[in-house]
Amino acid sequence: MDELEFRRRIMSDPKCRDQHITAAIKANDKNSQFADEICELDKKIAKAMTVDVPDDLADRILFNQTSSIKDDDKVVRPNFARKAMAMAASVAFVAGLLVGQLNWGNVVIAPAQASLVNTAIKHVIDEQPFVDKLDEQVPSSQINAKMVPFEHQLAENFPYHVYYLNHCGFGQSNALHMVFQGEKGKVTLFLTGIATDKTVDFNEQGMSGVVEPMGNNSLILVGEEGENVAIIAQNLSTIIKASN
């Protein structure tokens, strides 16, 4: 079970402790801490929403309604309704404060970043039968030529063997599309003109990947499951520089 799936399941059911959840908690201290935080939040919200009802509440309501009726217009003053709405607002406010204490940025991938991830994965799956047969032995000079539309250049030679290089359509934009050798297998790189505001790691459909901001562009790496794409992204970020 990857980290994203673990967090989704814990958030949907904080008390769930099936064999998969238990294994994920034991295997990762961050997972254990996150599970504890969600359970504590669940308890706080439950406590905030628990309101003791006085034994004579029904009698009070009837009394207030009866005593509030004017002889001339017979209008019932909604004192109880106002109190109930105020109580509900207070509960919502407390719950909002508690929820605000969580760092949701690491829990849910934003829609824009999810779109980048989905587009990249679809590209890799659709084009794998074609690019797996190629070895163009692409030189760094050719990589720089393809990077021109994205206003970035290599500050030194590309440190991995490149099998394939081209431009491609990428959602509503275009991208540099490269396939090179990683530690475990082939890694696909996309440098696209769609900006993102933060780094996002993902594990989907048997692939490991990362989205990295790069100026007004996004650098996306997709490798086999277990490929340390974060290290590759860190290495590449030191040699891919803005050209203007």
Side-chain angles (χ1 to χ4, degrees), residues 109-154:
I109 298 178
Q113 290 156 338
S115 177
L116 289 174
V117 170
N118 292 336
T119 301
I121 289 176
K122 186 176 187 304
H123 261 280
V124 173
I125 293 174
D126 289 348
E127 299 187 12
Q128 187 172 13
F130 170 70
V131 299
D132 270 355
K133 301 175 183 178
L134 301 177
D135 186 0
E136 299 175 343
Q137 302 184 36
V138 181
S140 294
S141 59
Q142 190 173 343
I143 297 173
N144 275 331
K146 293 290 187 182
M147 281 187 171
V148 170
F150 305 100
E151 300 180 341
H152 280 75
Q153 293 283 280
L154 296 174

Side-chain angles (χ1 to χ4, degrees), residues 33 88 122 125 130 180 184 197 201 206 225:
Q33 181 182 354
K122 186 176 187 304
I125 293 174
F130 170 70
F180 61 90
K184 291 185 174 294
D197 59 356
D201 299 311
E225 188 171 17

Side-chain angles (χ1 to χ4, degrees), residues 86-104:
M87 183 179 294
S90 298
V91 171
F93 176 73
V94 171
L97 287 178
L98 294 174
V99 172
Q101 294 175 358
L102 282 177
N103 183 5
W104 295 103

